[in-house]
Amino acid sequence: MVTLAKGANVAVDAAAVRAVLSWTPTPGGPAVDGSALLLQADGRVTGDADFVFYNQPRHPSGTVRHAGQAPGADTVEVDLGALPPGVERVVLTASADGGPFGLVAGLRLVVSDSATGTELAEFAITADREIAMITGEFYRRDGRWKFRAVGQGYASGLAGLATDFGITVDSPSAPPSSSPPASPAAYPPAPPAAPAVTPPGYVPPPPPPGFVPPPFPWPLPPGAVAPR
């Protein structure tokens, strides 16, 4: 088995592989979920079905599967030799719920040959404040598959990561109100405005010094009466 540093790669000759993301569970620690994205040459998916995760555990082609989670481990299986035409990369991703990956102890990714169980590569992952990340990827180069240790974090979470690759993420909608809004007829009419009242003994203030009234006639609004 080859131990990889971040950014290193190794050739993968197995037709089918298992990628096991493992960690040391701790009381109150974040929950970790693995997932995968099938990408075309432009680095994007062809549709939401190319995102394989716990709520969509199998790609329509059957070549990429979320194999389920055990305490401290989550597994994705990939049939490299049978991937749909046009798929150039299978990106392995993960998300942390309940805290960042910096609180996840012993995080590592191990790739093995599905047929023989032989471990092909191991990558010890370090993280800090990220709540989603690309852990590694399988990519096609000159007709041959390789695996790269990535370890790239996303502070925007799994939704931000998936959106970068073309996945449509629905924004959460506001919760419905427990009671329907009242119709206009349900509101009482506004009380009539009180008429203006001139206080007894009120005397208008004198004009300022130097004030000259404008010549008459001046334009009057329709229906107005000229002063006398």
Side-chain angles (χ1 to χ4, degrees), residues 61-94:
S61 67
T63 57
V64 180
R65 300 171 295 279
H66 182 262
Q69 189 174 100
D74 203 339
T75 302
V76 171
E77 298 176 338
V78 183
D79 291 341
L80 295 173
L83 285 167
V87 175
E88 295 292 322
R89 295 165 59 197
V90 177
V91 173
L92 304 175
T93 57

Side-chain angles (χ1 to χ4, degrees), residues 53-139:
F53 64 114
Y54 57 90
N55 274 346
Q56 188 169 267
R58 187 180 182 90
H59 188 261
S61 67
T63 57
V64 180
R65 300 171 295 279
H66 182 262
Q69 189 174 100
D74 203 339
T75 302
V76 171
E77 298 176 338
V78 183
D79 291 341
L80 295 173
L83 285 167
V87 175
E88 295 292 322
R89 295 165 59 197
V90 177
V91 173
L92 304 175
T93 57
S95 60
D97 184 18
F101 273 109
L103 299 178
V104 179
L107 190 65
R108 68 175 191 149
L109 182 64
V110 174
V111 175
S112 60
D113 186 326
S114 294
T116 64
T118 302
E119 294 182 345
L120 306 175
E122 177 183 24
F123 172 39
I125 303 171
T126 58
D128 187 11
R129 301 179 182 179
E130 304 90 340
I131 57 174
M133 69 165 54
I134 299 174
T135 57
E137 66 174 356
F138 298 99
Y139 63 101

